[in-house]
Amino acid sequence: MSIDTAPLIGILGGYGSVGAAAARFLAAQGGCRLRIGGRSADRAWRFTRTLGDPAEAAVVDARDSQSLMHFTRGCATVLDCSGTAFSLRGRVRAAVLAAGVHYVGMTDDGGSRTPAGPCSAVLFTGLSGTLAGWVPRWLADGLDSATRFSGWWGGLGAIPPHTAVSCLLGKCRAVELPGDGHAQDCGTQDGEGPRQEAELPLSQAFAPAAAPPAHAVAVRRTLPEELRQQAYRLRLEETSWHEVLKGPGVPAFLDRFALRGPTTGDGGALMAAARELTRASLRDAAGSSPYQVLYGTLEGLSPDGTPVRRSALLHCTDVTGLVGVMASITAHEVTRGRAPSGVHVMAATLPPRDTADWIVRHLPQATARTTEVPAGEPGTTAPPAARRPG
């Protein structure tokens, strides 16, 4: 395939932090042309020059239907990193799909998830929800069946307002489970995890190499929508997910949101709450290094019927880069027709193993690996099966 005939991916907000990261990863991967769009012609042009020949600049205002139509023309996929999707209540997605173009949105726009036409639409639903839905698929890849999954996610870093919208919409759709309190001492002892009650024994899930920070944090049991979907599809008998939040600002805000949070239909109030969450994340992250860490275990049967327990670890310090990786590989998959028509969450669209490979390939100092041991044996590491993609 020559570069002139390669599929074109248009990126709204292409010179913003997430859009620029996704564009760089797609350019490095090759196999597609890029159209970098935004309201500033100068910024779009200057960033496009750093990507090389397969990229072009375009002026576009997602709020203007004619401007959006002109930008979409000739694209196979539009990757929306503009942050305007929710405030426009799905109109960007509807316009792109109506033009016969696939859509990937890095903000859950709160619109209908009813299929509209033959094209694919994929929505990012926040890091916790997206990772919670992807990691059991990653661990189950190649198994004959799966029975139990337990995982946790933790992170620290500034949350952009449009990413905060996806986070809050995900909270509205998640099932919050009782049993975990407010900030508590999560220091580890003898390789164990947080000393708290839980549905599954967290001492198995929190291995010493993947323990949460030894600081006061809030640990919450929750079942994100994306994880509930995967639990159903994988026919899991037991499922557990925890969020490890380094505070105090973000945990305190989420407590208030749970008590008086606006409904998904109250757009203005939800946007105001997203801005408040952003400010809380900035205060919490001040003076600290950003990070994202995920750890999960899955029990199941190998193809020969052997009971096994697999573990996964994902760690990176480039928070924006991690979101950009997810955006780029999703756009890559959708453009190549590997996502079915209709509206889907990103967790169900990310390719299980290739996503881990993509993360390590494009993010310096990122770790993404799986281990496997026979179920019931102590330990979570097995050197012969250890894997670092890339």
Side-chain angles (χ1 to χ4, degrees):
M1 179 188 299
S2 70
I3 193 61
D4 293 332
T5 60
L8 176 63
I9 299 176
I11 306 180
L12 292 169
Y15 50 74
S17 56
V18 172
R24 285 192 289 266
F25 300 149
L26 286 167
Q29 190 71 18
C32 67
R33 294 174 293 141
L34 299 175
R35 178 178 291 165
I36 306 301
R39 287 182 289 181
S40 170
D42 182 60
R43 292 182 66 185
W45 179 78
R46 281 191 284 113
F47 176 67
T48 300
R49 289 187 63 191
T50 69
L51 298 176
D53 290 337
E56 61 185 56
V59 177
V60 59
D61 185 347
R63 300 174 186 273
D64 185 302
S65 59
Q66 291 296 324
S67 175
L68 185 60
M69 183 184 302
H70 180 74
F71 176 82
T72 302
R73 188 174 296 120
C75 290
T77 301
V78 166
L79 171 58
D80 186 359
C81 302
S82 65
T84 61
F86 184 79
S87 62
L88 295 179
R89 303 315 303 270
R91 293 199 295 273
V92 175
R93 180 184 7 141
V96 171
L97 294 177
V101 175
H102 301 304
Y103 176 83
V104 176
M106 295 313 293
T107 303
D108 188 336
D109 56 25
S112 170
R113 294 189 180 178
T114 302
C119 292
S120 303
V122 179
L123 304 177
F124 177 71
T125 55
L127 271 172
S128 177
T130 298
L131 294 173
W134 164 67
V135 71
R137 296 177 59 235
W138 180 24
L139 287 171
D141 193 28
L143 290 182
D144 184 65
S145 63
T147 54
R148 296 179 181 86
F149 171 75
S150 176
W152 65 269
W153 163 86
L156 181 68
I159 304 174
H162 59 287
T163 302
V165 168
S166 294
C167 172
L168 296 181
L169 286 173
K171 292 295 180 188
C172 293
R173 299 186 178 109
V175 176
E176 298 292 337
L177 301 175
D180 292 334
H182 298 279
Q184 54 190 284
D185 181 8
C186 283
T188 59
Q189 182 177 2
D190 297 328
E192 294 187 356
R195 294 181 293 277
Q196 62 181 73
E197 294 181 359
E199 190 169 9
L200 294 180
L202 289 187
S203 59
Q204 294 179 12
F206 289 109
H215 299 288
V217 296
V219 180
R220 289 182 170 82
R221 292 170 56 211
T222 181
L223 284 180
E225 175 191 29
E226 301 85 347
L227 180 54
R228 297 201 308 274
Q229 290 180 3
Q230 293 310 317
Y232 175 78
R233 290 168 182 166
L234 295 172
R235 299 183 180 181
L236 296 175
E237 298 172 5
E238 297 179 33
T239 308
S240 175
W241 184 254
H242 286 71
E243 293 182 351
V244 182
L245 303 172
K246 189 173 182 179
V250 169
F253 167 79
L254 293 177
D255 282 341
R256 296 194 301 272
F257 182 80
L259 292 174
R260 58 173 177 80
T263 65
T264 57
D266 191 348
L270 194 63
M271 290 296 291
R275 290 190 290 270
E276 185 179 349
L277 176 57
T278 295
R279 290 192 292 270
S281 71
L282 286 168
R283 291 191 294 269
D284 285 352
S288 300
S289 299
Y291 68 89
Q292 297 289 320
V293 62
L294 174 151
Y295 188 78
T297 61
L298 181 77
E299 293 183 9
L301 295 178
S302 65
D304 63 2
T306 302
V308 296
R309 184 173 70 248
R310 288 181 174 178
S311 301
L313 171 67
L314 169 66
H315 179 275
C316 74
T317 57
D318 184 353
V319 180
T320 298
L322 180 59
V323 178
V325 161
M326 293 180 179
S328 62
I329 192 169
T330 303
H332 181 272
E333 293 293 298
V334 168
T335 300
R336 278 151 183 78
R338 295 172 184 163
S341 61
V343 183
H344 310 277
V345 295
M346 190 171 289
T349 307
L350 292 169
R353 293 187 181 183
D354 289 350
T355 299
D357 292 337
W358 199 291
I359 289 170
V360 174
R361 186 181 309 129
H362 293 295
L363 292 184
Q365 300 181 337
T367 298
R369 64 173 182 261
T370 60
T371 61
E372 180 179 309
V373 296
E377 291 191 5
T380 57
T381 59
R387 174 177 176 270
R388 180 183 173 89

